[in-house]
Amino acid sequence: MSVGTQRGVADGVTQLLSTARFELMPFDSFEGELSELPEGATVAITTSPQLGIDRTVEKCEEAAEAGYEVVPHIAARYIEGPEELEEIARRLTEAGITDIFVPGGDKEEAVGEFESAYDLLVALEDLEYEFEEVGITGYPEGHDFISEEELAEAMEKKAPYATYIVTQLCYDPDTILEWIEEIRGRGIDLPVEVGIPGVMKYEKLINISRKVGVGDSVKFLRKTTGIVGFIKQFIGSRGRYKPDELIEGLAPYVDDETYKLQGLHIYTFNQTSDLESWRQSRLNG
């Protein structure tokens, strides 16, 4: 690798890590995890199957009041209907929140009339409250229960209502880049926030990946130089996964207008202390 190329990768890594957003879950550990992040950081707050949408809105209000840039996950299948959606939009707007992420949600049965993210996106158009940025989900790895054809159709329906895409959890830069090329070929030109794992024990991360339906990426964790390489990497890292190779693989494409890599969406799984220590070491190293 030439000196110029190395410098380009380093600059790309710095850009990606310095503008990253951090996904947190609204559990009891939320305040402690939030305090580990830089002042004013962008924080995406998920909808918990156990705690429901109101807990998400509540934590979003608290984080916004504390000075963070907040991106609520407004999961369609957790919202009863237009009246509840309007109340949520009012509370978020009054908290100064201008960016929302709209997934379908992983509930088997919708609690109300919004069966999909598309249904909720359409309903948002009828509200008096508006958001400057609206994110939707992308699936470079595919989905366990939805065919590739259905995912493509859903993306095309949702794209006109959105301003960016957030990908599912991924580990392989080539898979991400190929997927972006594919959606560009279908006319989807939205910027992409690449969903990556944070820093945590390999065993925990692999278990999480299996639960959220990430297939090839789990294999990628073991792929580098076969099982021997995986074991060496595991031992050398003291059993902790760090997304260095993933970010370095994306870094050369940061300013490429074809890919429009808007930034990183880091799935922290509420492990922010180790993540932030690693991120700062990369930025200052």
Side-chain angles (χ1 to χ4, degrees):
M1 184 182 292
S2 69
V3 173
T5 302
Q6 288 176 327
R7 188 177 298 117
V9 170
D11 289 346
V13 168
T14 298
Q15 188 171 330
L16 287 170
L17 288 178
S18 60
T19 61
R21 65 172 63 184
F22 306 89
E23 181 179 293
L24 294 178
M25 297 174 283
F27 298 158
D28 291 341
S29 64
F30 179 84
E31 284 77 12
E33 301 296 340
L34 188 65
S35 70
E36 298 284 350
L37 299 177
E39 291 183 10
T42 300
V43 181
I45 304 176
T46 66
T47 303
S48 162
Q50 294 82 22
L51 301 171
I53 190 73
D54 193 61
R55 178 64 169 262
T56 298
V57 175
E58 176 188 311
K59 294 303 179 186
C60 287
E61 291 169 328
E62 292 175 7
E65 178 68 22
Y68 294 90
E69 295 293 326
V70 179
V71 184
H73 285 211
I74 307 304
R77 294 166 73 84
Y78 289 78
I79 299 174
E80 292 181 356
E83 288 185 6
E84 185 179 23
L85 178 60
E86 183 166 21
E87 174 64 8
I88 289 168
R90 180 191 65 77
R91 290 174 63 183
L92 296 178
T93 302
E94 290 179 357
I97 293 167
T98 60
D99 186 344
I100 61 172
F101 173 61
V102 181
D106 53 6
K107 255 189 179 310
E108 279 193 33
E109 296 289 334
V111 301
E113 61 187 78
F114 301 130
E115 292 284 345
S116 68
Y118 173 74
D119 294 339
L120 192 139
L121 290 165
V122 171
L124 279 171
E125 294 286 295
D126 296 330
L127 301 183
E128 62 176 293
Y129 305 100
E130 294 183 0
F131 297 94
E132 294 174 13
E133 302 288 342
V134 178
I136 57 175
T137 310
Y139 295 93
E141 296 277 358
H143 193 288
D144 272 0
F145 309 114
I146 305 174
S147 70
E148 294 292 336
E149 185 178 342
E150 289 173 304
L151 288 173
E153 182 181 332
M155 175 74 74
E156 288 173 14
K157 287 172 64 179
K158 293 185 296 183
Y161 298 91
T163 59
Y164 66 95
I165 298 168
V166 178
T167 77
Q168 70 194 129
L169 181 69
C170 294
Y171 301 94
D172 183 358
D174 291 337
T175 298
I176 296 162
L177 296 168
E178 288 167 8
W179 175 81
I180 294 175
E181 291 167 7
E182 180 187 321
I183 66 170
R184 298 292 183 247
R186 298 203 310 267
I188 307 295
D189 200 37
L190 295 171
V192 176
E193 294 269 349
V194 179
I196 72 166
V199 175
M200 67 190 70
K201 291 181 178 178
Y202 271 87
E203 183 180 1
K204 179 182 175 96
L205 189 55
I206 290 171
N207 287 337
I208 288 170
S209 299
R210 284 174 177 151
K211 286 179 182 176
V212 299
V214 179
D216 289 344
S217 277
V218 175
K219 295 176 186 174
F220 179 77
L221 276 173
R222 300 183 174 92
K223 194 176 74 173
T224 47
T225 55
I227 192 65
V228 173
F230 176 75
I231 292 170
K232 285 181 179 177
Q233 186 178 356
F234 181 87
I235 294 170
S237 64
R238 297 183 180 178
R240 287 189 178 274
Y241 173 82
K242 298 174 183 177
D244 295 273
E245 291 184 14
L246 172 54
I247 294 170
E248 288 162 10
L250 295 171
Y253 301 88
V254 165
D255 293 321
D256 190 310
E257 280 302 305
T258 296
Y259 296 96
K260 292 187 178 178
L261 298 181
Q262 182 166 287
L264 299 177
H265 180 103
I266 304 179
Y267 293 90
T268 72
F269 300 108
N270 287 23
Q271 306 280 310
T272 56
S273 178
D274 289 344
L275 166 64
E276 189 56 12
S277 294
W278 166 82
R279 191 180 74 93
Q280 289 299 332
S281 72
R282 285 301 308 253
L283 287 173
N284 300 320

